[in-house]
Amino acid sequence: KKKIAILLAALLAFGAAGCSAPETPSAEPDSSSAVQSQEPQSGDESTEEPASTQEGGLTVEEIQSAPVTDEDLFAREETDGGIAVTSFTGSGEIIVVPDTIEGQPVVALDDGVFQGESGIKGVVIPETVTALGEDLFLNCPDLEAVAILGDVEEFPSDMFYECPSLQDVMIPDSVKTIGAYAFYHCKNLTEVTLPSSLQEISDYAFCGTGLAQVEIPEGVTAIWGGAFSDCASLGTCVIPASVETLFP
């Protein structure tokens, strides 16, 4: 019981702590830890107002019906197995990455392909893509929904860093790792479904999001420093017995 109490106390620290540099962990629960549920504490205060979901935003279902974007708007290079997109040179509210360019399958999106793009509200990444670069959507202020259809294994670092309008993301069942700062300060992201394939949630992955509740799937073994810190609206977090390492 003492170990369970320590685990719950560490988790509660996620919502109260800011997004500062990682600190030394205060607890490492073992695999016998039971599923935990945290309730909001009435005395808790935050320096920020809880995030509110914007009304009328795009959903992953809606953007998947959009037409494929002209392949000439994607800079690219050949890579193992097909084409890697290196940058996007066009504009538009909904971008649907083609599954082939010049007759070859699109298998990867390199670092920062959409970084800093304003005006883009939705992006669809096809089933052929199995590798995503860092900073992919970093600082995209208008991005609301992203559908990732391929069997990617990692959401890399800073993938959605500072995307304040983001509110709907499809995380494929193949994802094993969510990288550091992946959803940092996505204030309108109020819910997310984590796949059963997930094994690791990295430093500050969901720091400063608008998440109200989180259910971490069985199979996750590590939740690293500040993964859910500065989440003012977070009321419930369910942790499976598989979690062996938990950094506050």
Side-chain angles (χ1 to χ4, degrees), residues 2 17 20 27 52 60 62-63 67 90 103 109 119 147 150 159 163 169 180 215 226-227 243:
K2 184 176 180 181
S20 56
S52 58
V60 294
E62 291 172 335
I63 63 176
L109 301 183
M159 183 169 174
C163 291
V169 179
E215 183 169 353
V243 174

Side-chain angles (χ1 to χ4, degrees), residues 114 123 125 135-140 143 146 159-161 163:
F114 296 102
V123 176
I125 299 175
D135 307 330
L136 188 59
F137 298 101
L138 184 145
N139 289 329
C140 290
L143 187 67
V146 176
M159 183 169 174
F160 294 103
Y161 187 102
C163 291

Side-chain angles (χ1 to χ4, degrees), residues 17-226:
C19 303
S20 56
E23 298 179 355
T24 302
S26 61
E28 288 192 11
D30 60 26
S31 58
S32 64
S33 300
V35 172
Q36 301 298 316
S37 177
Q38 96 178 49
E39 296 297 334
Q41 304 210 358
S42 58
D44 285 351
E45 294 182 357
S46 173
T47 57
E48 294 186 7
E49 291 294 325
S52 58
T53 303
Q54 56 192 13
E55 303 251 345
L58 291 172
T59 67
V60 294
E61 289 80 10
E62 291 172 335
I63 63 176
Q64 288 182 72
S65 62
V68 176
T69 304
D70 187 347
E71 66 178 49
D72 291 337
L73 299 177
F74 297 91
R76 64 271 194 177
E77 62 184 16
E78 291 190 6
T79 188
D80 292 342
I83 294 292
V85 171
T86 57
S87 65
F88 177 66
T89 60
S91 61
E93 289 194 354
I94 300 177
I95 308 303
V96 179
V97 179
D99 56 10
T100 61
I101 292 179
E102 296 179 342
Q104 297 188 65
V106 176
V107 297
L109 301 183
D110 284 352
D111 295 351
V113 168
F114 296 102
Q115 179 176 342
E117 293 283 351
S118 60
I120 295 178
K121 294 185 176 182
V123 176
V124 180
I125 299 175
E127 293 181 357
T128 54
V129 172
T130 56
L132 303 173
E134 296 182 358
D135 307 330
L136 188 59
F137 298 101
L138 184 145
N139 289 329
C140 290
D142 303 311
L143 187 67
E144 297 175 357
V146 176
I148 300 171
L149 307 180
D151 291 335
V152 300
E153 294 190 355
E154 180 183 9
F155 269 30
S157 299
D158 303 324
M159 183 169 174
F160 294 103
Y161 187 102
E162 292 282 6
C163 291
S165 300
L166 185 69
Q167 60 183 35
D168 197 7
V169 179
M170 178 187 292
I171 303 179
D173 288 336
S174 53
V175 171
K176 297 179 180 179
T177 302
I178 295 178
Y181 297 90
F183 292 93
Y184 182 82
H185 278 194
C186 294
K187 297 180 179 181
N188 268 292
L189 186 67
T190 59
E191 60 181 327
V192 66
T193 300
L194 300 177
S196 59
S197 57
L198 190 63
Q199 299 174 3
E200 180 178 14
I201 301 174
S202 301
D203 297 332
Y204 303 98
F206 293 95
C207 177
T209 62
L211 292 175
Q213 62 181 18
V214 178
E215 183 169 353
I216 297 169
E218 186 71 35
V220 171
T221 58
I223 303 173
W224 297 98

